[in-house]
Amino acid sequence: MELYSGYINKLIEQFSKLPGVGSKSAQRLALHVINMPSEHVERFAQIMVEARKNIHYCNTCYTLTDKETCPICANPKRDHKMIMVVENIRDLAAYEKTGKYDGVYHVLHGAISPMMGIGPNDIRLKELVKRLEEEITEVIIATNSSLEGETTAMYISKLIKPTGVKVTRIASGVPVGGDLECIDEMTLLRALEGRTEL
Amino acid sequence: MELYSGYINKLIEQFSKLPGVGSKSAQRLALHVINMPSEHVERFAQIMVEARKNIHYCNTCYTLTDKETCPICANPKRDHKMIMVVENIRDLAAYEKTGKYDGVYHVLHGAISPMMGIGPNDIRLKELVKRLEEEITEVIIATNSSLEGETTAMYISKLIKPTGVKVTRIASGVPVGGDLECIDEMTLLRALEGRTEL
Protein backbone atom coordinates (compact mmCIF):
# COMPACT_ATOMS: atom_id res chain seq x y z
CA MET A 1 0.00 0.00 0.00
CA GLU A 2 1.24 3.43 -0.91
CA LEU A 3 0.08 4.89 2.35
CA TYR A 4 2.80 3.12 4.31
CA SER A 5 6.43 4.02 4.05
CA GLY A 6 8.61 1.71 1.95
CA TYR A 7 10.27 0.48 5.14
CA ILE A 8 6.96 -0.71 6.57
CA ASN A 9 5.88 -2.27 3.28
CA LYS A 10 9.12 -4.25 3.11
CA LEU A 11 8.65 -5.49 6.65
CA ILE A 12 5.01 -6.43 5.99
CA GLU A 13 6.20 -8.36 2.93
CA GLN A 14 8.74 -10.28 5.01
CA PHE A 15 6.17 -11.25 7.61
CA SER A 16 3.62 -12.25 5.00
CA LYS A 17 6.05 -14.86 3.64
CA LEU A 18 5.89 -16.75 6.95
CA PRO A 19 3.56 -19.77 7.09
CA GLY A 20 0.04 -19.03 8.32
CA VAL A 21 0.55 -15.26 8.24
CA GLY A 22 -1.98 -13.53 5.98
CA SER A 23 -1.75 -9.94 4.79
CA LYS A 24 -3.70 -8.58 7.77
CA SER A 25 -1.58 -10.39 10.34
CA ALA A 26 1.60 -9.36 8.51
CA GLN A 27 0.48 -5.73 8.79
CA ARG A 28 -0.29 -6.15 12.50
CA LEU A 29 3.06 -7.83 13.19
CA ALA A 30 5.06 -5.23 11.22
CA LEU A 31 3.35 -2.34 13.01
CA HIS A 32 3.96 -4.06 16.33
CA VAL A 33 7.68 -4.37 15.56
CA ILE A 34 7.84 -0.68 14.55
CA ASN A 35 6.39 0.20 17.94
CA MET A 36 8.79 -2.04 19.90
CA PRO A 37 11.80 -0.45 21.65
CA SER A 38 14.81 -0.34 19.28
CA GLU A 39 16.92 -2.62 21.48
CA HIS A 40 14.23 -5.31 21.42
CA VAL A 41 14.03 -5.20 17.63
CA GLU A 42 17.80 -5.45 17.34
CA ARG A 43 17.83 -8.38 19.76
CA PHE A 44 15.07 -10.18 17.83
CA ALA A 45 16.97 -9.66 14.55
CA GLN A 46 20.21 -10.88 16.07
CA ILE A 47 18.61 -14.00 17.59
CA MET A 48 17.06 -14.82 14.22
CA VAL A 49 20.37 -14.61 12.36
CA GLU A 50 22.30 -16.47 15.07
CA ALA A 51 19.74 -19.27 15.30
CA ARG A 52 19.83 -19.74 11.53
CA LYS A 53 23.63 -19.73 11.52
CA ASN A 54 24.14 -22.22 14.35
CA ILE A 55 21.36 -24.70 13.76
CA HIS A 56 21.68 -27.68 11.45
CA TYR A 57 20.49 -31.28 11.22
CA CYS A 58 21.53 -33.92 13.77
CA ASN A 59 23.89 -36.33 12.00
CA THR A 60 21.80 -39.28 13.23
CA CYS A 61 18.09 -38.46 13.42
CA TYR A 62 17.96 -35.23 11.34
CA THR A 63 16.22 -33.12 13.93
CA LEU A 64 17.55 -29.56 14.33
CA THR A 65 20.38 -29.01 16.78
CA ASP A 66 23.39 -26.77 17.40
CA LYS A 67 25.56 -29.82 18.22
CA GLU A 68 26.77 -32.48 15.81
CA THR A 69 24.50 -35.04 17.47
CA CYS A 70 21.27 -33.83 19.09
CA PRO A 71 20.69 -34.19 22.87
CA ILE A 72 18.23 -37.05 22.33
CA CYS A 73 20.59 -39.13 20.16
CA ALA A 74 23.48 -38.29 22.53
CA ASN A 75 21.55 -39.35 25.64
CA PRO A 76 22.80 -42.77 26.86
CA LYS A 77 19.60 -43.27 28.90
CA ARG A 78 17.42 -43.43 25.79
CA ASP A 79 16.73 -46.74 24.06
CA HIS A 80 18.72 -46.41 20.84
CA LYS A 81 17.28 -49.64 19.46
CA MET A 82 13.82 -48.16 19.12
CA ILE A 83 13.33 -45.56 16.37
CA MET A 84 10.15 -43.50 15.99
CA VAL A 85 9.79 -42.14 12.46
CA VAL A 86 8.08 -38.73 12.24
CA GLU A 87 7.37 -36.37 9.35
CA ASN A 88 8.76 -33.24 10.96
CA ILE A 89 10.28 -31.71 14.04
CA ARG A 90 7.00 -30.44 15.44
CA ASP A 91 5.72 -34.03 15.52
CA LEU A 92 8.89 -35.09 17.34
CA ALA A 93 8.30 -32.24 19.81
CA ALA A 94 4.70 -33.39 20.34
CA TYR A 95 5.78 -36.92 21.32
CA GLU A 96 8.70 -35.63 23.35
CA LYS A 97 6.32 -33.47 25.38
CA THR A 98 4.42 -36.57 26.52
CA GLY A 99 7.62 -37.51 28.39
CA LYS A 100 6.70 -41.21 28.03
CA TYR A 101 8.69 -42.22 24.97
CA ASP A 102 12.28 -43.16 25.73
CA GLY A 103 13.44 -44.39 22.33
CA VAL A 104 15.03 -42.20 19.67
CA TYR A 105 13.59 -40.55 16.53
CA HIS A 106 14.09 -40.24 12.81
CA VAL A 107 12.81 -37.08 11.14
CA LEU A 108 11.84 -37.56 7.48
CA HIS A 109 11.31 -33.86 6.72
CA GLY A 110 8.23 -34.54 4.67
CA ALA A 111 5.98 -37.33 3.47
CA ILE A 112 5.62 -39.08 0.14
CA SER A 113 3.08 -37.20 -1.96
CA PRO A 114 2.72 -38.06 -5.65
CA MET A 115 0.27 -35.15 -5.93
CA MET A 116 2.94 -32.67 -4.80
CA GLY A 117 5.71 -34.49 -6.66
CA ILE A 118 7.43 -35.62 -3.46
CA GLY A 119 8.92 -39.09 -3.87
CA PRO A 120 10.82 -41.43 -1.53
CA ASN A 121 14.13 -39.79 -2.50
CA ASP A 122 12.93 -36.36 -1.44
CA ILE A 123 12.63 -37.30 2.23
CA ARG A 124 15.23 -38.75 4.63
CA LEU A 125 14.44 -42.39 3.88
CA LYS A 126 17.86 -43.58 2.74
CA GLU A 127 19.23 -42.21 5.99
CA LEU A 128 16.64 -44.28 7.91
CA VAL A 129 17.55 -47.47 6.07
CA LYS A 130 21.21 -46.77 6.80
CA ARG A 131 20.45 -46.66 10.52
CA LEU A 132 19.10 -50.21 10.36
CA GLU A 133 22.67 -51.44 9.90
CA GLU A 134 22.97 -50.98 13.67
CA GLU A 135 21.01 -53.33 15.93
CA ILE A 136 17.45 -52.03 15.91
CA THR A 137 14.57 -53.88 17.61
CA GLU A 138 11.63 -51.76 16.46
CA VAL A 139 10.73 -48.99 14.03
CA ILE A 140 7.55 -47.16 15.08
CA ILE A 141 5.99 -45.27 12.19
CA ALA A 142 4.37 -42.11 13.53
CA THR A 143 3.69 -40.27 10.29
CA ASN A 144 0.41 -38.34 10.18
CA SER A 145 -2.82 -40.15 9.56
CA SER A 146 -3.32 -38.17 6.32
CA LEU A 147 -3.19 -39.68 2.81
CA GLU A 148 0.51 -38.72 2.52
CA GLY A 149 1.32 -39.99 5.99
CA GLU A 150 -0.37 -43.34 5.32
CA THR A 151 1.34 -43.68 1.95
CA THR A 152 4.68 -43.00 3.58
CA ALA A 153 3.95 -45.49 6.37
CA MET A 154 3.11 -48.21 3.84
CA TYR A 155 6.23 -47.48 1.83
CA ILE A 156 8.49 -47.61 4.86
CA SER A 157 6.95 -50.81 6.15
CA LYS A 158 7.52 -52.53 2.78
CA LEU A 159 11.05 -51.20 2.71
CA ILE A 160 11.97 -52.39 6.19
CA LYS A 161 10.13 -55.68 6.54
CA PRO A 162 12.63 -57.67 4.42
CA THR A 163 15.38 -56.69 6.89
CA GLY A 164 13.51 -58.55 9.64
CA VAL A 165 13.22 -55.50 11.88
CA LYS A 166 9.84 -55.19 13.65
CA VAL A 167 7.79 -52.34 12.15
CA THR A 168 4.76 -50.87 13.97
CA ARG A 169 2.32 -48.04 13.29
CA ILE A 170 0.83 -45.75 15.97
CA ALA A 171 -2.92 -46.34 16.46
CA SER A 172 -5.55 -44.27 14.70
CA GLY A 173 -8.89 -43.71 16.44
CA VAL A 174 -11.09 -41.45 18.50
CA PRO A 175 -9.04 -38.78 20.33
CA VAL A 176 -9.14 -38.96 24.13
CA GLY A 177 -11.99 -36.75 25.36
CA GLY A 178 -13.38 -36.70 21.82
CA ASP A 179 -17.13 -36.59 21.42
CA LEU A 180 -18.20 -39.33 18.99
CA GLU A 181 -20.82 -37.21 17.28
CA CYS A 182 -18.20 -34.60 16.36
CA ILE A 183 -15.80 -37.07 14.79
CA ASP A 184 -15.56 -37.82 11.08
CA GLU A 185 -16.62 -41.18 9.64
CA MET A 186 -13.13 -42.25 8.61
CA THR A 187 -11.90 -41.88 12.17
CA LEU A 188 -14.92 -43.74 13.55
CA LEU A 189 -14.27 -46.64 11.17
CA ARG A 190 -10.59 -46.67 12.06
CA ALA A 191 -11.45 -46.73 15.74
CA LEU A 192 -13.80 -49.68 15.10
CA GLU A 193 -11.22 -51.62 13.08
CA GLY A 194 -8.60 -51.01 15.72
CA ARG A 195 -10.77 -52.09 18.66
CA THR A 196 -9.09 -54.06 21.42
CA GLU A 197 -10.56 -56.58 23.85
CA LEU A 198 -11.25 -55.38 27.40
CA MET B 1 11.47 -27.20 25.83
CA GLU B 2 14.72 -28.95 26.52
CA LEU B 3 14.51 -30.89 23.29
CA TYR B 4 15.21 -27.82 21.21
CA SER B 5 18.57 -26.12 21.11
CA GLY B 6 18.87 -22.87 23.08
CA TYR B 7 19.03 -20.97 19.79
CA ILE B 8 15.64 -22.26 18.71
CA ASN B 9 14.10 -21.68 22.13
CA LYS B 10 15.24 -18.07 22.09
CA LEU B 11 13.78 -17.55 18.64
CA ILE B 12 10.48 -19.20 19.66
CA GLU B 13 10.38 -16.87 22.66
CA GLN B 14 10.84 -13.81 20.43
CA PHE B 15 8.05 -14.86 18.10
CA SER B 16 5.70 -15.68 20.97
CA LYS B 17 5.94 -12.09 22.19
CA LEU B 18 4.29 -10.86 18.98
CA PRO B 19 0.55 -10.12 19.13
CA GLY B 20 -1.71 -13.03 18.20
CA VAL B 21 1.15 -15.54 18.11
CA GLY B 22 0.59 -18.43 20.54
CA SER B 23 3.22 -20.95 21.57
CA LYS B 24 2.38 -23.37 18.72
CA SER B 25 2.57 -20.67 16.04
CA ALA B 26 5.78 -19.32 17.54
CA GLN B 27 7.30 -22.80 17.23
CA ARG B 28 6.11 -23.11 13.64
CA LEU B 29 7.47 -19.66 12.71
CA ALA B 30 10.83 -20.24 14.40
CA LEU B 31 11.29 -23.61 12.68
CA HIS B 32 10.34 -22.01 9.38
CA VAL B 33 12.99 -19.32 9.82
CA ILE B 34 15.61 -21.96 10.70
CA ASN B 35 14.80 -23.69 7.42
CA MET B 36 14.97 -20.50 5.33
CA PRO B 37 18.11 -19.79 3.27
CA SER B 38 20.65 -17.82 5.38
CA GLU B 39 20.57 -14.79 3.08
CA HIS B 40 16.80 -14.52 3.45
CA VAL B 41 17.04 -14.61 7.23
CA GLU B 42 19.73 -11.93 7.20
CA ARG B 43 17.64 -9.78 4.89
CA PHE B 44 14.54 -10.16 7.11
CA ALA B 45 16.59 -9.21 10.19
CA GLN B 46 18.08 -6.21 8.44
CA ILE B 47 14.71 -4.94 7.17
CA MET B 48 13.31 -5.26 10.68
CA VAL B 49 16.09 -3.18 12.23
CA GLU B 50 16.07 -0.59 9.44
CA ALA B 51 12.32 -0.16 9.51
CA ARG B 52 12.40 0.37 13.27
CA LYS B 53 15.25 2.86 12.96
CA ASN B 54 13.76 4.98 10.18
CA ILE B 55 10.09 5.05 11.06
CA HIS B 56 8.58 7.56 13.46
CA TYR B 57 5.36 9.50 13.90
CA CYS B 58 4.18 12.08 11.37
CA ASN B 59 4.50 15.52 12.98
CA THR B 60 0.92 16.31 12.04
CA CYS B 61 -1.34 13.28 12.16
CA TYR B 62 0.85 10.82 14.14
CA THR B 63 0.69 8.00 11.65
CA LEU B 64 4.00 6.17 11.01
CA THR B 65 6.28 7.54 8.32
CA ASP B 66 9.94 7.81 7.34
CA LYS B 67 9.51 11.49 6.45
CA GLU B 68 8.86 14.38 8.83
CA THR B 69 5.33 14.74 7.46
CA CYS B 70 3.54 11.67 6.08
CA PRO B 71 2.56 11.44 2.38
CA ILE B 72 -1.12 11.98 3.23
CA CYS B 73 -0.52 15.15 5.24
CA ALA B 74 1.98 16.35 2.61
CA ASN B 75 -0.43 15.78 -0.29
CA PRO B 76 -1.84 19.13 -1.50
CA LYS B 77 -4.74 17.32 -3.26
CA ARG B 78 -6.21 16.12 0.06
CA ASP B 79 -8.75 18.22 1.94
CA HIS B 80 -6.75 19.40 4.95
CA LYS B 81 -9.81 20.94 6.57
CA MET B 82 -11.43 17.57 7.16
CA ILE B 83 -9.85 15.38 9.87
CA MET B 84 -10.85 11.76 10.46
CA VAL B 85 -9.91 10.62 13.97
CA VAL B 86 -8.93 6.93 14.24
CA GLU B 87 -7.65 4.79 17.10
CA ASN B 88 -4.72 3.29 15.29
CA ILE B 89 -2.83 3.03 12.03
CA ARG B 90 -4.59 -0.12 10.88
CA ASP B 91 -7.90 1.74 11.04
CA LEU B 92 -6.38 4.53 8.97
CA ALA B 93 -5.18 1.92 6.47
CA ALA B 94 -8.68 0.42 6.30
CA TYR B 95 -10.27 3.75 5.34
CA GLU B 96 -7.42 4.62 3.03
CA LYS B 97 -7.95 1.37 1.14
CA THR B 98 -11.52 2.40 0.27
CA GLY B 99 -9.91 5.14 -1.86
CA LYS B 100 -12.98 7.32 -1.29
CA TYR B 101 -11.90 9.51 1.62
CA ASP B 102 -9.88 12.54 0.57
CA GLY B 103 -9.52 14.35 3.89
CA VAL B 104 -6.65 13.84 6.33
CA TYR B 105 -6.37 11.78 9.54
CA HIS B 106 -5.47 12.00 13.17
CA VAL B 107 -4.21 8.83 14.86
CA LEU B 108 -4.94 8.71 18.60
CA HIS B 109 -2.83 5.60 19.28
CA GLY B 110 -5.40 4.14 21.63
CA ALA B 111 -8.82 4.83 23.11
CA ILE B 112 -9.94 6.03 26.51
CA SER B 113 -10.44 3.02 28.78
CA PRO B 114 -10.94 3.58 32.52
CA MET B 115 -10.84 -0.23 32.95
CA MET B 116 -7.31 -0.37 31.49
CA GLY B 117 -6.26 2.87 33.16
CA ILE B 118 -6.00 4.73 29.84
CA GLY B 119 -7.14 8.34 30.22
CA PRO B 120 -7.43 11.26 27.78
CA ASN B 121 -3.81 12.23 28.39
CA ASP B 122 -2.56 8.81 27.35
CA ILE B 123 -3.71 9.19 23.75
CA ARG B 124 -2.92 11.91 21.17
CA LEU B 125 -5.84 14.18 22.10
CA LYS B 126 -3.96 17.34 22.96
CA GLU B 127 -2.33 17.09 19.57
CA LEU B 128 -5.78 16.89 17.95
CA VAL B 129 -7.02 19.97 19.79
CA LYS B 130 -3.90 21.82 18.72
CA ARG B 131 -4.71 21.08 15.08
CA LEU B 132 -8.04 22.90 15.47
CA GLU B 133 -6.12 26.18 15.65
CA GLU B 134 -5.91 25.89 11.86
CA GLU B 135 -9.11 26.28 9.85
CA ILE B 136 -10.96 22.97 10.14
CA THR B 137 -14.47 22.41 8.76
CA GLU B 138 -15.18 18.93 10.12
CA VAL B 139 -13.83 16.35 12.52
CA ILE B 140 -15.10 12.85 11.71
CA ILE B 141 -14.78 10.50 14.68
CA ALA B 142 -14.02 7.02 13.39
CA THR B 143 -13.04 5.29 16.64
CA ASN B 144 -14.24 1.69 16.96
CA SER B 145 -17.79 0.95 17.93
CA SER B 146 -16.59 -0.74 21.15
CA LEU B 147 -17.17 0.61 24.67
CA GLU B 148 -13.75 2.31 24.60
CA GLY B 149 -14.27 3.66 21.11
CA GLU B 150 -17.67 5.12 22.01
CA THR B 151 -16.33 6.62 25.24
CA THR B 152 -13.52 8.24 23.29
CA ALA B 153 -15.95 9.53 20.66
CA MET B 154 -18.15 11.11 23.34
CA TYR B 155 -15.15 12.68 25.04
CA ILE B 156 -13.80 14.16 21.81
CA SER B 157 -17.17 15.51 20.77
CA LYS B 158 -17.57 17.30 24.13
CA LEU B 159 -14.04 18.62 23.84
CA ILE B 160 -14.44 20.00 20.33
CA LYS B 161 -18.03 21.27 20.24
CA PRO B 162 -17.26 24.49 22.19
CA THR B 163 -14.77 25.43 19.47
CA GLY B 164 -17.63 25.53 16.96
CA VAL B 165 -16.03 22.95 14.65
CA LYS B 166 -18.53 20.44 13.18
CA VAL B 167 -18.07 17.00 14.76
CA THR B 168 -19.53 13.86 13.17
CA ARG B 169 -19.45 10.13 13.99
CA ILE B 170 -19.29 7.34 11.40
CA ALA B 171 -22.51 5.29 11.26
CA SER B 172 -22.99 2.08 13.19
CA GLY B 173 -25.28 -0.59 11.72
CA VAL B 174 -25.65 -3.83 9.85
CA PRO B 175 -22.52 -4.57 7.75
CA VAL B 176 -23.03 -4.67 3.98
CA GLY B 177 -23.85 -8.25 2.99
CA GLY B 178 -24.56 -9.07 6.64
CA ASP B 179 -27.28 -11.58 7.39
CA LEU B 180 -29.65 -10.09 9.97
CA GLU B 181 -30.08 -13.35 11.86
CA CYS B 182 -26.32 -13.56 12.49
CA ILE B 183 -25.99 -10.05 13.87
CA ASP B 184 -25.98 -9.18 17.57
CA GLU B 185 -28.86 -7.26 19.17
CA MET B 186 -26.82 -4.15 19.91
CA THR B 187 -25.96 -3.76 16.24
CA LEU B 188 -29.57 -4.38 15.20
CA LEU B 189 -30.76 -1.68 17.59
CA ARG B 190 -28.11 0.73 16.35
CA ALA B 191 -29.14 0.06 12.77
CA LEU B 192 -32.76 0.78 13.70
CA GLU B 193 -31.88 4.03 15.50
CA GLY B 194 -29.74 5.15 12.62
CA ARG B 195 -32.34 4.40 9.93
CA THR B 196 -32.57 6.90 7.07
CA GLU B 197 -35.50 7.73 4.83
CA LEU B 198 -35.54 6.25 1.34
Side-chain angles (χ1 to χ4, degrees), chain B residues 147-187:
Chain B
L147 182 59
E148 293 78 15
E150 294 295 356
T151 307
T152 309
M154 287 294 241
Y155 189 92
I156 296 175
S157 107
K158 276 186 190 158
L159 196 69
I160 295 181
K161 271 199 177 150
T163 68
V165 174
K166 182 174 170 190
V167 187
T168 57
R169 177 89 174 103
I170 56 165
S172 235
V174 177
V176 177
D179 202 344
L180 283 199
E181 63 177 342
C182 302
I183 291 169
D184 65 287
E185 282 174 42
M186 280 299 292
T187 303

Coordinates of all heavy atoms in Angstrom, one line a residue, chain B residues 147-187:
Chain B
L147 N -16.9 -0.3 23.5 CA -17.2 0.6 24.7 C -16.1 1.7 24.7 O -16.4 2.9 24.9 CB -17.1 -0.2 26.0 CG -17.4 0.5 27.2 CD1 -18.8 1.2 27.2 CD2 -17.2 -0.4 28.5
E148 N -14.8 1.3 24.5 CA -13.8 2.3 24.6 C -13.9 3.3 23.5 O -13.6 4.5 23.7 CB -12.4 1.6 24.5 CG -12.1 0.7 25.7 CD -12.8 -0.6 25.7 OE1 -13.3 -1.0 24.7 OE2 -12.8 -1.3 26.8
G149 N -14.2 2.8 22.3 CA -14.3 3.7 21.1 C -15.4 4.7 21.3 O -15.2 5.9 21.0
E150 N -16.5 4.2 21.8 CA -17.7 5.1 22.0 C -17.4 6.2 23.1 O -17.7 7.3 23.0 CB -18.9 4.3 22.4 CG -19.4 3.4 21.3 CD -20.0 4.1 20.1 OE1 -20.0 5.3 20.1 OE2 -20.3 3.4 19.1
T151 N -16.7 5.7 24.2 CA -16.3 6.6 25.2 C -15.4 7.7 24.7 O -15.6 8.9 25.0 CB -15.6 5.9 26.4 OG1 -16.4 4.7 26.8 CG2 -15.3 6.7 27.5
T152 N -14.5 7.3 23.9 CA -13.5 8.2 23.3 C -14.2 9.2 22.4 O -14.0 10.4 22.4 CB -12.4 7.5 22.5 OG1 -11.9 6.5 23.4 CG2 -11.3 8.4 22.1
A153 N -15.2 8.7 21.6 CA -16.0 9.5 20.7 C -16.7 10.6 21.4 O -16.7 11.8 21.1 CB -16.9 8.7 19.8
M154 N -17.4 10.2 22.5 CA -18.2 11.1 23.3 C -17.2 12.2 23.9 O -17.6 13.4 23.9 CB -18.8 10.4 24.5 CG -19.9 9.5 24.2 SD -21.3 10.5 23.6 CE -22.5 10.0 24.9
Y155 N -16.1 11.8 24.4 CA -15.2 12.7 25.0 C -14.7 13.7 24.0 O -14.7 14.9 24.3 CB -14.0 11.9 25.6 CG -13.0 12.7 26.4 CD1 -13.2 12.8 27.8 CD2 -12.0 13.5 25.9 CE1 -12.4 13.6 28.6 CE2 -11.2 14.3 26.6 CZ -11.4 14.3 28.0 OH -10.5 15.1 28.8
I156 N -14.3 13.2 22.8 CA -13.8 14.2 21.8 C -14.9 15.1 21.4 O -14.6 16.3 21.2 CB -13.3 13.4 20.6 CG1 -12.1 12.5 21.0 CG2 -12.9 14.3 19.5 CD1 -11.6 11.6 19.8
S157 N -16.1 14.6 21.2 CA -17.2 15.5 20.8 C -17.4 16.6 21.8 O -17.6 17.8 21.4 CB -18.4 14.7 20.4 OG -19.4 14.9 21.4
K158 N -17.4 16.3 23.1 CA -17.6 17.3 24.1 C -16.4 18.3 24.1 O -16.6 19.5 24.4 CB -17.7 16.6 25.5 CG -19.1 16.1 25.8 CD -19.2 15.6 27.2 CE -20.5 14.9 27.4 NZ -20.5 14.0 28.6
L159 N -15.2 17.8 23.8 CA -14.0 18.6 23.8 C -14.0 19.6 22.7 O -13.6 20.8 22.8 CB -12.8 17.7 23.7 CG -11.4 18.2 24.0 CD1 -11.3 18.4 25.5 CD2 -10.4 17.1 23.6
I160 N -14.5 19.2 21.5 CA -14.4 20.0 20.3 C -15.6 20.9 20.1 O -15.5 22.0 19.6 CB -14.2 19.1 19.1 CG1 -12.9 18.4 19.2 CG2 -14.3 19.9 17.8 CD1 -12.6 17.5 18.1
K161 N -16.8 20.5 20.5 CA -18.0 21.3 20.2 C -17.9 22.7 20.6 O -18.3 23.6 19.8 CB -19.3 20.6 20.9 CG -19.9 19.6 19.9 CD -21.3 19.3 20.3 CE -21.9 18.4 19.3 NZ -23.0 17.5 19.9
P162 N -17.4 23.1 21.8 CA -17.3 24.5 22.2 C -16.5 25.3 21.2 O -16.7 26.5 21.1 CB -16.5 24.4 23.5 CG -16.8 23.1 24.1 CD -16.9 22.2 22.9
T163 N -15.6 24.7 20.4 CA -14.8 25.4 19.5 C -15.6 25.8 18.2 O -15.1 26.5 17.4 CB -13.5 24.6 19.0 OG1 -14.0 23.5 18.2 CG2 -12.7 24.1 20.2
G164 N -16.8 25.2 18.1 CA -17.6 25.5 17.0 C -17.3 24.7 15.7 O -18.0 24.8 14.7
V165 N -16.3 23.8 15.8 CA -16.0 22.9 14.6 C -17.1 21.8 14.6 O -17.5 21.3 15.6 CB -14.6 22.3 14.8 CG1 -14.4 21.3 13.7 CG2 -13.6 23.4 14.8
K166 N -17.5 21.5 13.4 CA -18.5 20.4 13.2 C -17.9 19.1 13.5 O -16.8 18.8 13.1 CB -19.0 20.4 11.7 CG -20.0 19.4 11.4 CD -20.4 19.7 9.9 CE -21.3 18.5 9.4 NZ -21.5 18.7 7.9
V167 N -18.6 18.3 14.4 CA -18.1 17.0 14.8 C -19.1 15.9 14.3 O -20.3 16.1 14.6 CB -17.9 16.9 16.3 CG1 -17.2 15.6 16.7 CG2 -17.1 18.0 16.9
T168 N -18.6 14.9 13.6 CA -19.5 13.9 13.2 C -19.0 12.5 13.6 O -17.8 12.4 14.0 CB -19.7 13.8 11.6 OG1 -18.4 13.7 11.0 CG2 -20.4 15.1 11.1
R169 N -19.8 11.5 13.6 CA -19.4 10.1 14.0 C -19.8 9.2 12.8 O -20.9 9.3 12.3 CB -20.2 9.8 15.3 CG -20.0 8.3 15.8 CD -18.9 8.3 16.7 NE -18.7 7.0 17.4 CZ -17.7 6.2 17.0 NH1 -16.9 6.4 16.1 NH2 -17.6 5.0 17.7
I170 N -18.9 8.3 12.5 CA -19.3 7.3 11.4 C -20.5 6.5 11.9 O -20.6 6.3 13.1 CB -18.1 6.4 11.0 CG1 -17.5 5.7 12.2 CG2 -17.0 7.2 10.3 CD1 -16.6 4.5 11.8
A171 N -21.3 6.0 10.9 CA -22.5 5.3 11.3 C -22.2 3.9 11.8 O -21.2 3.3 11.4 CB -23.4 5.2 10.0
S172 N -23.0 3.4 12.7 CA -23.0 2.1 13.2 C -24.2 1.4 12.6 O -25.3 2.0 12.5 CB -23.2 2.2 14.7 OG -22.4 1.7 15.5
G173 N -24.1 0.1 12.2 CA -25.3 -0.6 11.7 C -24.9 -1.9 11.2 O -23.9 -2.5 11.5
V174 N -25.8 -2.5 10.4 CA -25.6 -3.8 9.8 C -24.6 -3.8 8.7 O -24.7 -2.9 7.9 CB -27.0 -4.3 9.3 CG1 -26.8 -5.7 8.6 CG2 -28.0 -4.4 10.3
P175 N -23.6 -4.6 8.8 CA -22.5 -4.6 7.7 C -23.1 -4.9 6.4 O -24.1 -5.7 6.3 CB -21.5 -5.7 8.2 CG -21.9 -6.1 9.5 CD -23.3 -5.7 9.8
V176 N -22.5 -4.4 5.3 CA -23.0 -4.7 4.0 C -22.9 -6.2 3.7 O -21.8 -6.7 4.0 CB -22.2 -3.9 2.9 CG1 -22.7 -4.2 1.5 CG2 -22.4 -2.4 3.2
G177 N -23.9 -6.8 3.2 CA -23.8 -8.2 3.0 C -24.1 -9.1 4.3 O -24.1 -10.3 4.2
G178 N -24.3 -8.4 5.4 CA -24.6 -9.1 6.6 C -25.9 -9.7 6.7 O -26.9 -9.1 6.2
D179 N -26.0 -10.9 7.3 CA -27.3 -11.6 7.4 C -27.9 -11.2 8.7 O -27.3 -11.4 9.8 CB -26.9 -13.1 7.4 CG -28.1 -13.9 6.9 OD1 -29.3 -13.4 7.0 OD2 -27.9 -15.1 6.6
L180 N -29.1 -10.6 8.7 CA -29.7 -10.1 10.0 C -29.6 -11.1 11.1 O -29.3 -10.8 12.2 CB -31.1 -9.6 9.8 CG -31.3 -8.3 9.1 CD1 -32.7 -7.7 9.3 CD2 -30.2 -7.3 9.5
E181 N -30.0 -12.4 10.8 CA -30.1 -13.3 11.9 C -28.8 -13.7 12.5 O -28.7 -14.2 13.6 CB -30.8 -14.6 11.4 CG -30.0 -15.3 10.3 CD -30.6 -16.7 9.9 OE1 -31.5 -17.1 10.7 OE2 -30.3 -17.2 8.8
C182 N -27.6 -13.3 11.9 CA -26.3 -13.6 12.5 C -25.8 -12.4 13.3 O -24.7 -12.4 13.7 CB -25.3 -13.9 11.4 SG -25.8 -15.4 10.5
I183 N -26.5 -11.3 13.3 CA -26.0 -10.0 13.9 C -26.5 -9.8 15.3 O -27.7 -10.1 15.6 CB -26.3 -8.9 12.9 CG1 -25.5 -9.1 11.7 CG2 -26.0 -7.5 13.6 CD1 -25.8 -8.2 10.5
D184 N -25.6 -9.3 16.2 CA -26.0 -9.2 17.6 C -27.0 -8.1 17.8 O -27.2 -7.2 16.9 CB -24.7 -8.9 18.4 CG -24.1 -7.5 18.0 OD1 -23.6 -7.4 16.9 OD2 -24.3 -6.6 18.8
E185 N -27.7 -8.2 18.9 CA -28.9 -7.3 19.2 C -28.4 -5.8 19.2 O -29.2 -4.9 18.7 CB -29.5 -7.6 20.5 CG -30.4 -8.8 20.5 CD -30.8 -9.2 21.9 OE1 -31.2 -8.3 22.7 OE2 -30.8 -10.4 22.2
M186 N -27.3 -5.5 19.8 CA -26.8 -4.1 19.9 C -26.7 -3.5 18.5 O -27.2 -2.4 18.3 CB -25.4 -4.1 20.6 CG -25.5 -4.2 22.1 SD -26.4 -2.8 22.8 CE -25.3 -1.5 22.4
T187 N -26.1 -4.3 17.6 CA -26.0 -3.8 16.2 C -27.3 -3.6 15.6 O -27.5 -2.5 14.9 CB -25.1 -4.7 15.4 OG1 -23.9 -4.9 16.1 CG2 -24.8 -4.2 14.0

